[in-house]
Amino acid sequence: MNIHGIKAIYKFEMARWFRTIMQSIASPVISTSLYFIVFGAAIGSRMEQIDGISYGAYIVPGLVMLSVLTESISNASFGIYMPKWAGTIYEVLSAPVSPLEIVVGYVGAAATKSVILGVIILCTARLFVDYTILHPFWMVGFLILTALTFCLFGFIIGVWADGWEKLQIVPVMIVTPLTFLGGSFYSIHMLPPFWQKLTLINPVVYLVSGFRWSFYGVSDVHVGISFGMTLGFLLLCLVAIMLIFRTGYRLKR
């Protein structure tokens, strides 16, 4: 394992992130704060509790997941697309670093950014609502696992994209709507039976449900199923990345 190669990629990506701190941290934190003001304070004060939890506190895990998912995809996809666009990807591919080390460097940096952002949003949420974390170990585990999984997914999008506009298609047109429809702001048990079953097709439901369970001990889906679905998606992304490097898809040609 070329530790120096991994560190070089990791430190370069983290340095680029800190140079755009306003866009990387301030923008998502401000957006999430507005959600807390509108949904948590304005609307939440007029709503009944959900599963014995105040509405403002209930949406905290969902809002954290919303930010972590979108930022994970954005950070990882931009990180690998930028050297493709600039042509420096060939220097990385010709360097004495393996595909595994390249992925660890880029995805590790992107996941670190997402986890830091998630922690900042959790701290920001404390300014608006009171919430508890019944299972802190599981909360950290779900946060890291989700960040890693969607950073791998973002890496795949960055390799697939052949233009700047394509970097935004999946996050904006697919991931964000799935997050809003995945129980971030409500329990799927509030839906009619048909829509409850249809919602289970949405993979984000399992992420939000498992993460919410780590806070309050309540979930729409059993926590074991949530963990298994997240781990399965991570493995699927790893297989896809392995095929990308094996075939050189949009990297070597």
Side-chain angles (χ1 to χ4, degrees), residues 209-246:
S209 179
F211 197 56
R212 182 172 286 130
W213 173 86
S214 68
F215 279 73
Y216 310 119
V218 298
S219 61
D220 294 327
V221 183
H222 190 275
V223 63
I225 298 177
S226 297
F227 181 78
M229 290 292 289
T230 307
L231 189 60
F233 188 49
L234 183 146
L235 295 176
L236 186 64
C237 290
L238 285 175
V239 171
I241 290 175
M242 179 184 70
L243 293 176
I244 286 173
F245 279 100
R246 179 170 294 181

Side-chain angles (χ1 to χ4, degrees), residues 21-41:
I21 199 72
M22 290 299 294
Q23 178 183 353
S24 304
I25 294 293
S27 178
V29 169
I30 292 173
S31 299
T32 307
S33 298
L34 293 176
Y35 280 121
F36 281 120
I37 294 172
V38 175
F39 288 93

